[in-house]
Amino acid sequence: MTNLERSLAPTNLDSESDSPTTLCDDSSSWKSSDFRLDGKRRTKPRWTALGLAGSAVYMSFGVLSLLPRSPIVPPYPADIERLSPYSLIARFFHGSPSVLVVAFVILLTSAFALFALALREAKKQPQRALLPAAWAVGFAILLVPTPPIASQDIYSYAAYGRMAAFYYENPYLSGPSKVAQDSTANFVGRMWWDMPSVYGPVMQGIAWACARVLGGLGILIIGLKAVAAFFFALSLWLLIRCAQKLSRAATVAVVAVGWNPLVLIHIVGGGHNDILVAAALLGGLLLFLEGHRLLAGVVVTLGSLVKVTALVPLFLYMLLVWRKREDIGGWQRVAWLVSLSSATVVAAYAPFWKGLDTLRALVRVSGLQTSISAPYVSAQVVHLGLESLGVRLFGVSGWVAIFRVALGVVFGLYVLLLCRRLGRSEELLPEVWGKALLAFCFTTAYLLPWYLVWPMLVLALVSEGQTFRLAMAAAFVYSFTQLPGGYVLLSPNIRAIGEGLGRLAFFVVVVGFGIWLWLSRAGAVYDLGPRIGLAARADSILSREVGSD
């Protein structure tokens, strides 16, 4: 048999001369997945070495968070220091805030380097996800007994929970200032001091239950972070199950989420409830793939009752069910889905409902903006550019308003384009969800790094696409925009780094998005890629055969 025939023909297990054991003498038992197309044996992933290195990095984050005047954490209750084992190590180290910022950047860079290596290893055995998933859960556990990292949001969760649990105040009508005597008063961010809850009743119920069960503020914060870690682990299991249903690379999906420093640091380290939204989307997707379409709609609805952003994928899901109505029992099933989802919303809000005032916080928060969002950065660039030319049409706030409207229109049109793809195949649902949520992140005026968790978890199921790569690049860039330093006194130069990185992040993401759009128009070329590669490999082997003859 010639080399060309060996390369292109299927392996004959009954032929001793063609047996894979001739390619690797130390293998007495093998699977076809253990060999690449060129016949060489795949090397086993080095999960143990990478897992130990990752554990060291995330333990270092834990120690760094408890150092005196640590810049990566806001002020925290003294109980947390007593509850955390990292305080036993932190007492032997110290450093100025500026030095600790540098240490944070080094650790974050190291975590992303390990993440990149893990993604590379995941491609070697794309269907063996349990071991990397176990390591990812281990990393999450290491980040639970720390103060909240780089955010004060978790103190708002605790305040709203304690307001309802101990003071019988409606968190949708009053802010934490209503219970200024509570232990949470000194830790809630000042901009949220008078703000009623912007979170849905599902999150409010979780916070209430944790407050009733755990009591003290320190243990309550650790408990809320443990809840985030639990849903993080649940999301990994859901990813594996969805990947199996869709015949996708489960290991790559698990590593893309479970080893991603942005997810670990901000979701588990910061205790953010965005993981509940992502878990609801994955749970709804799995139920949908298993044929439980009504229950899937209810689960996605529960996600929107954590954060209102999940209404976008809920709308897309409703549209898909409508288009598939003839396959699932007609419009009556669609009516049932709408009725169940509506009943879920009514039942969840019933204990808190006091008219439209219950939703007024959502109206107030819609006017907020962050310095790393596309509308704000675009407004700054245009304002400074025109001002340098001596032209002054509007102030920065005026340009922000213009770009909010313009990018909002862009987002709406893009979602309409995505709607055209729905109905072609049920397997397109995670891709459409992910693209819509990623577009929301790139167009909203209020963007924080951990918002990228929404699209990343569903895009992990389509890891071969350009959108997934764009999301991973955005996660890397935006992770560094949350540069610590707002919680302790730092030099102006250190603080300016974070703002500069925010502007850089915008341009990197916009350019990447433009390149992705250009490449997507040449999708047919990418479809021919594997065939061209195979033909080139065959031509190369044939040339060697002719030369040897």
Side-chain angles (χ1 to χ4, degrees), residues 115-165:
F115 172 52
L117 291 173
L119 273 178
R120 182 179 178 183
E121 296 295 313
K123 297 176 182 178
K124 295 179 179 178
Q125 294 180 341
Q127 299 302 330
R128 299 183 181 180
L130 291 181
L131 185 56
W135 278 112
V137 173
F139 300 155
I141 292 173
L142 290 174
L143 290 171
V144 170
T146 69
I149 296 177
S151 174
Q152 294 174 286
D153 286 2
I154 196 170
Y155 294 114
S156 295
Y157 309 162
Y160 297 135
R162 290 177 63 86
M163 284 174 62

Side-chain angles (χ1 to χ4, degrees), residues 192-480:
W192 305 106
W193 182 249
D194 295 314
M195 180 75 75
S197 178
V198 297
Y199 309 110
V202 169
M203 183 61 212
Q204 186 57 47
I206 292 174
W208 176 87
C210 289
R212 294 293 297 181
V213 172
L214 299 177
L217 181 57
I219 190 64
L220 174 57
I221 297 302
I222 297 296
L224 288 171
K225 292 185 66 179
V227 169
F230 169 78
F231 280 96
F232 170 83
L234 177 62
S235 297
L236 296 183
W237 179 79
L238 291 170
L239 270 176
I240 294 174
R241 295 285 290 116
C242 289
Q244 291 171 345
K245 289 288 183 180
L246 295 168
S247 299
R248 304 287 170 81
T251 310
V252 176
V254 164
V255 171
V257 173
W259 290 60
N260 194 313
L262 183 141
V263 179
L264 287 164
I265 295 298
H266 291 296
I267 293 301
V268 184
H272 289 285
N273 58 16
D274 302 82
I275 192 63
L276 276 71
V277 177
L281 294 181
L282 289 175
L285 177 62
L286 179 60
L287 290 168
F288 173 75
L289 295 174
E290 292 182 342
H292 306 293
R293 291 174 173 82
L294 295 181
L295 188 56
V298 172
V299 171
V300 177
T301 302
L302 290 175
S304 69
L305 293 172
V306 175
K307 280 194 170 180
V308 71
T309 315
L311 288 175
V312 175
L314 179 60
F315 163 75
L316 292 171
Y317 178 74
M318 294 285 191
L319 180 61
L320 175 61
V321 172
W322 171 255
R323 290 187 174 181
K324 292 285 187 179
R325 61 188 181 278
E326 299 301 330
D327 300 331
I328 63 174
W331 63 268
Q332 294 90 347
R333 300 286 288 181
V334 179
W336 269 106
L337 174 60
V338 174
S339 299
L340 285 175
S341 298
S342 302
T344 302
V345 173
V346 170
Y349 270 105
F352 307 100
W353 189 256
K354 297 296 181 181
L356 292 180
D357 285 346
T358 310
L359 304 177
R360 66 179 179 179
L362 293 176
V363 178
R364 289 177 60 182
V365 79
S366 64
L368 299 178
Q369 62 195 29
T370 57
S371 62
I372 63 173
S373 67
Y376 183 83
V377 176
S378 301
Q380 287 276 13
V381 171
V382 171
H383 176 71
L384 292 175
L386 292 177
E387 197 173 57
S388 66
L389 298 175
V391 178
R392 185 178 178 85
L393 299 177
F394 308 102
V396 175
S397 59
W399 284 112
V400 169
I402 292 173
F403 277 104
R404 286 175 73 116
V405 174
L407 291 176
V409 171
V410 170
F411 171 70
L413 293 175
Y414 184 65
V415 170
L416 290 178
L417 289 175
L418 290 176
C419 290
R420 297 178 60 185
R421 303 201 65 185
L422 286 174
R424 297 182 187 177
S425 171
E426 295 180 352
E427 295 184 358
L428 289 175
L429 184 58
E431 179 184 350
V432 172
W433 274 357
K435 287 182 176 180
L437 290 171
L438 188 61
F440 176 84
C441 290
F442 288 163
T443 56
T444 182
Y446 193 78
L447 174 65
L448 293 168
W450 47 90
Y451 289 3
L452 290 169
V453 171
W454 309 332
M456 278 197 304
L457 263 74
V458 286
L459 287 175
L461 294 168
V462 285
S463 57
E464 69 281 357
Q466 298 295 326
T467 311
F468 170 78
R469 297 181 179 90
L470 179 61
M472 293 299 105
F476 173 76
V477 174
Y478 278 107
S479 291
F480 288 90

